Amino acid sequence: MMKLELQQKRWLVRILWTLLYLTIPFVKINGESALRFDINTLALHVFGSTVYIENFFIVLIFTFFITFLIIVITQLYGRIWCGWLCPQTVILNFTRFFDKKKQSIISKLFNHIIVFIISAVIGASMVWYFVSPYNFFSDISTGSLNSATLWFTIVLTVITYLNFTLVRYKFCTTVCPYSKFQSVMFDDHTLVIAMDPETSYKCVKCNACVITCPVGIDIRQGMDSQCINCGRCITACTETMSNENEDVPTLIDYIYGFSNIKRPFRSNVLITGVITALFLAGFIFMLATVKPYEFQVFPNSSFLPRVKDENIINSYEIMLKNLTEKNLTVELKIKDLENYTLQYPKPLSLAPGETLKEKVFLFIPTKMLKEKPILSLKMQSFGSNKKGEPLESELSFRKPIRRKQ
């Protein structure tokens, strides 16, 4: 079986990563994109689950989990993200033809056209994570694409094009906050690309590692925060050493700090790992216990308490919102109260994501309010899924106010 060298492995990873990024919005699970924040419904679709804006605190916990996971990975494997998966470096590698020094006007024009096409695809693909790509192409074909969607696509395309034609690797070395922050997270056992101190004396001063470096650093001078871990210096040094017939395959390689001792279970990694695990546990717990719908009760200001047939009537407005991707039917009851009548439109049915507002009338015998003019009650809502405890909302039931004669 043929063994892939470093740059071939990187190319394979970049191609698979790009295909994954471009196809995820087209993959449907339960009728929705595998991953998309829908602007119209303010709902996040995540691999078959839907999180509405009311439950977005779950996304916040997940964001903290991802943040600390990145820190753990950086503590262990350095800037592996930059060299293998970062969209900026992935596209820069796909457009390496743009970095050629000597090009004819025709070649430059052709390269700009290719980069613009790639930028347009990227701009549109970013929009697909907010607008269904199926609706996107359908609206384009009929000429009914929303103006906001169109302008977002154009602006993202232009920004991406300017980035890949004017900024390129300068973004990694000057703008990218991760490149500045990662040096704080490194320690003596973080995986880095460096020249092995034990074999550095065999360097033949060919400068191949400097010439091939896209950000123009000299890896022989030690670690540099501008290094994007592309590994081109490793490939260049490997070729030089093979031509020199040296017994060392390469002087530059991935090493665990300058001591080159692998110690994954370090105090800083363990602390960050525990925090990461806690946020993951919190995210899973919240996702498992999230309420399937919203339920609130408000006084009906247009209906004053009144007496009818030995009953006192109060009216309320209820608000229900289905936070699931299934149809929902809700039943209402008054907690810890037996002798009452509750009138409301039955059944209270909600489609996925639907918000429903209805008026509810509560009848309670007059004799129950002889001693207390106000009763503090709780209205319960029971969902058709019968999962978990019913949702409750407090309300006040009042006697009518009698006017003085």
Side-chain angles (χ1 to χ4, degrees):
M1 183 177 179
M2 184 182 67
K3 184 178 180 181
L4 296 177
E5 64 100 14
L6 178 62
Q7 296 307 317
Q8 291 174 326
K9 293 177 182 178
R10 289 184 67 240
W11 267 106
L12 179 61
V13 171
R14 289 195 296 266
I15 292 171
L16 293 176
W17 182 243
T18 303
L19 290 175
L20 181 66
Y21 167 77
L22 293 175
T23 55
I24 278 182
F26 291 91
V27 177
K28 283 192 173 184
I29 303 177
N30 295 335
E32 295 291 349
S33 300
L35 180 63
R36 177 168 55 85
F37 179 75
D38 190 80
I39 295 295
N40 294 327
T41 60
L42 297 180
L44 178 66
H45 303 289
V46 187
F47 300 104
S49 299
T50 300
V51 181
Y52 286 90
I53 195 72
E54 289 80 2
N55 292 325
F56 239 54
F57 61 89
I58 298 177
V59 178
L60 177 63
I61 298 299
F62 183 73
T63 302
F64 280 122
F65 161 68
I66 292 296
T67 301
F68 280 96
L69 179 62
I70 291 173
I71 294 175
V72 171
I73 293 174
T74 303
Q75 289 174 332
L76 289 171
Y77 303 109
R79 294 181 68 176
I80 200 77
W81 164 262
C82 301
W84 293 74
L85 298 173
C86 175
Q88 177 78 6
T89 52
V90 167
I91 301 302
L92 287 176
N93 277 274
F94 283 143
T95 58
R96 285 182 64 178
F97 55 82
F98 202 86
D99 294 323
K100 292 181 179 179
K101 301 296 182 182
K102 295 181 179 180
Q103 298 184 47
S104 65
I105 295 177
I106 300 298
S107 297
K108 287 183 179 181
L109 178 61
F110 180 76
N111 290 343
H112 274 273
I113 293 173
I114 296 298
V115 173
F116 184 81
I117 292 173
I118 293 174
S119 300
V121 172
I122 294 172
S125 66
M126 285 190 277
V127 171
W128 298 339
Y129 280 87
F130 299 91
V131 176
S132 169
Y134 296 99
N135 295 341
F136 181 87
F137 285 111
S138 174
D139 291 345
I140 285 181
S141 64
T142 57
S144 58
L145 185 65
N146 183 280
S147 59
T149 303
L150 176 61
W151 277 108
F152 265 108
T153 306
I154 293 173
V155 170
L156 290 171
T157 298
V158 171
I159 292 174
T160 305
Y161 171 75
L162 294 175
N163 175 30
F164 292 132
T165 55
L166 300 178
V167 183
R168 296 188 68 75
Y169 289 104
K170 293 185 183 72
F171 177 88
C172 305
T173 58
T174 59
V175 179
C176 179
Y178 181 58
S179 67
K180 308 302 178 186
F181 186 57
Q182 53 87 25
S183 58
V184 181
M185 296 181 281
F186 279 23
D187 60 26
D188 293 337
H189 301 281
T190 300
L191 185 67
V192 296
I193 291 179
M195 177 174 279
D196 191 343
E198 295 183 1
T199 57
S200 60
Y201 67 92
K202 293 190 176 184
C203 178
V204 296
K205 307 294 190 291
C206 66
N207 286 337
C209 56
V210 179
I211 295 170
T212 193
C213 180
V215 295
I217 64 172
D218 188 346
I219 197 68
R220 298 171 299 179
Q221 303 302 317
M223 289 175 53
D224 194 310
S225 62
Q226 297 184 33
C227 176
I228 60 172
N229 272 44
C230 65
R232 292 188 199 174
C233 53
I234 298 176
T235 303
C237 190
T238 301
E239 293 175 357
T240 299
M241 288 295 101
S242 62
N243 293 332
E244 294 291 328
N245 295 319
E246 293 284 351
D247 56 348
V248 179
T250 181
L251 305 180
I252 304 171
D253 206 348
Y254 285 102
I255 61 174
Y256 290 95
F258 288 107
S259 60
N260 201 15
I261 299 175
K262 185 178 181 180
R263 283 185 54 198
F265 301 106
R266 317 189 289 274
S267 58
N268 58 338
V269 176
L270 290 175
I271 292 171
T272 313
V274 169
I275 296 174
T276 305
L278 289 174
F279 276 114
L280 177 60
F283 169 71
I284 294 173
F285 173 77
M286 289 183 175
L287 195 62
T289 58
V290 64
K291 53 186 178 181
Y293 60 95
E294 285 281 333
F295 173 61
Q296 290 179 302
V297 179
F298 307 96
N300 182 0
S301 58
S302 64
F303 186 95
L304 295 176
R306 62 195 65 180
V307 178
K308 182 181 180 182
D309 299 333
E310 298 184 353
N311 286 311
I312 296 176
I313 310 171
N314 279 207
S315 180
Y316 308 91
E317 291 184 350
I318 63 165
M319 189 281 292
L320 293 163
K321 182 172 182 178
N322 187 357
L323 302 178
T324 70
E325 287 300 295
K326 297 181 180 179
N327 292 327
L328 178 70
T329 302
V330 176
E331 180 184 355
L332 302 179
K333 294 182 180 180
I334 301 298
K335 185 178 181 180
D336 298 330
L337 191 67
E338 294 182 358
N339 193 8
Y340 71 92
T341 302
L342 196 59
Q343 292 184 355
Y344 59 91
K346 298 179 181 179
L348 292 172
S349 300
L350 296 92
E354 181 184 358
T355 298
L356 178 66
K357 293 181 179 179
E358 289 288 357
K359 289 181 171 58
V360 175
F361 297 90
L362 177 58
F363 296 73
I364 294 181
T366 307
K367 60 183 180 180
M368 295 181 64
L369 282 89
K370 282 186 177 181
E371 297 182 0
K372 293 183 178 181
I374 299 176
L375 297 179
S376 295
L377 305 173
K378 289 183 179 180
M379 187 179 294
Q380 295 180 313
S381 60
F382 295 82
S384 55
N385 53 18
K386 306 296 182 183
K387 292 182 179 179
E389 296 293 325
L391 300 184
E392 298 179 351
S393 185
E394 295 183 351
L395 57 89
S396 295
F397 189 90
R398 301 173 181 271
K399 291 176 63 175
I401 299 175
R402 293 183 178 181
R403 295 180 180 179
K404 293 183 179 181
Q405 300 296 329

